[in-house]
Amino acid sequence: SATTDVYIQTGHTITVDNGTAACKTINTFANTSKISFSTAGSILSVYGNLFLFSTTHSLFGTWTAGAKFVFTGTANQTTTNLGGSTSFINLEVNKTSGTITTDGNLRFDNLLNVVSGTLVSGNAKDIQGISNSSNITIAAAGIITQSGGVGVLRVGSTGNSPLGDVTVFGTLNINTTSSNGANVKSLSVETGGTVNVTTTTPVGVVNATNGITIKSGGSYNTLNGTITASINALTNLDLQTGGTMRIATS
């Protein structure tokens, strides 16, 4: 239940086989502590924190296509020992209040979907896709915030290979000092959506290989610096009628 902590012992696997599984905090005791999703409708809703045994812990076993892991509830949540070995296939943030803050690089395969609430990537921590089909959707009540430092959006842990399509109906706060920046296949700022970019690097932080689209009612804001610091020079920009782009130098 939402108020019950889960303890996964050494060599044990918890299998989620329905859409109503819920717990508070997940605790693990070894790198062999696992979670599996056996059906397409399997959903695990987590109301507390996520403690991995180590940064090399690969938490998930079988993950059937369509299943998802959900951070939810009203409390502020955190991860511990999140590293590149654990990859979420479908990750959802669906919180009525509060934040989920990662302490390591957040890696996902298919979809990162922020329905409501705030996902905060810890200072100097990445949001990493597995491929350029790893998509991000931020709904109207959702927020993704980079805490700063050298954290980036990309495929893998080095370089600037783009992850998938990023669609923003809510808010995306890009705050990085890395020259690798935010690397995506496309960035679409939808009606009501807002992208805020804060950077100290002189080169284009947002690199969208298929371009940036700012639709009517959408807003792209560079909170410091210049447009060349905010957007890669090779990125196509489609500022549609009713869309807004703002540049602030300080």
Side-chain angles (χ1 to χ4, degrees):
S1 73
T3 59
T4 301
D5 291 341
V6 167
Y7 298 86
I8 309 177
Q9 301 296 330
T10 302
H12 287 213
T13 298
I14 290 179
T15 299
V16 181
D17 60 3
N18 62 73
T20 60
C23 68
K24 192 177 179 183
T25 291
I26 296 176
N27 302 276
T28 59
F29 289 87
N31 284 346
T32 53
S33 302
K34 300 283 186 178
I35 296 173
S36 289
F37 299 89
S38 61
T39 73
S42 297
I43 300 173
L44 176 59
S45 296
V46 178
Y47 289 77
N49 301 322
L50 174 61
F51 289 94
L52 300 178
F53 180 73
S54 72
T55 56
T56 60
H57 185 182
S58 177
L59 177 61
F60 301 111
T62 300
W63 193 312
T64 303
K68 61 185 178 181
F69 186 108
V70 182
F71 286 107
T72 191
T74 60
N76 290 334
Q77 297 168 277
T78 60
T79 65
T80 298
N81 287 330
L82 186 64
S85 296
T86 286
S87 179
F88 300 84
I89 305 299
N90 295 304
L91 176 61
E92 182 175 298
V93 177
N94 194 347
K95 298 175 61 59
T96 51
S97 64
T99 61
I100 167 65
T101 301
T102 61
D103 74 310
N105 295 332
L106 173 63
R107 180 170 288 194
F108 73 100
D109 190 338
N110 182 47
L111 178 64
L112 170 56
N113 186 20
V114 183
V115 177
S116 61
T118 302
L119 169 63
V120 179
S121 62
N123 185 60
K125 304 306 179 185
D126 293 354
I127 296 177
Q128 298 175 356
I130 297 299
S131 72
N132 67 359
S133 296
S134 301
N135 300 323
I136 298 174
T137 299
I138 307 173
I143 301 170
I144 292 180
T145 296
Q146 287 182 294
S147 293
V150 294
V152 300
L153 277 68
R154 61 185 169 194
V155 167
S157 57
T158 60
N160 56 4
S161 296
L163 49 78
D165 299 315
V166 177
T167 307
V168 183
F169 294 91
T171 302
L172 172 60
N173 297 312
I174 299 172
N175 181 14
T176 180
T177 60
S178 173
S179 59
N180 284 319
N183 306 281
V184 301
K185 187 161 61 175
S186 70
L187 173 61
S188 181
V189 189
E190 304 290 324
T191 300
T194 300
V195 174
N196 298 312
V197 179
T198 303
T199 181
T200 57
T201 181
V203 299
V205 166
V206 179
N207 174 29
T209 54
N210 289 350
I212 298 173
T213 302
I214 306 171
K215 297 184 178 180
S216 178
S219 180
Y220 184 104
N221 307 306
T222 302
L223 301 183
N224 68 335
T226 64
I227 188 65
T228 54
S230 178
I231 298 176
N232 187 286
L234 300 179
T235 295
N236 291 323
L237 175 63
D238 180 10
L239 179 58
Q240 298 185 356
T241 301
T244 302
M245 171 168 279
R246 296 183 176 92
I247 310 296
T249 57
S250 60

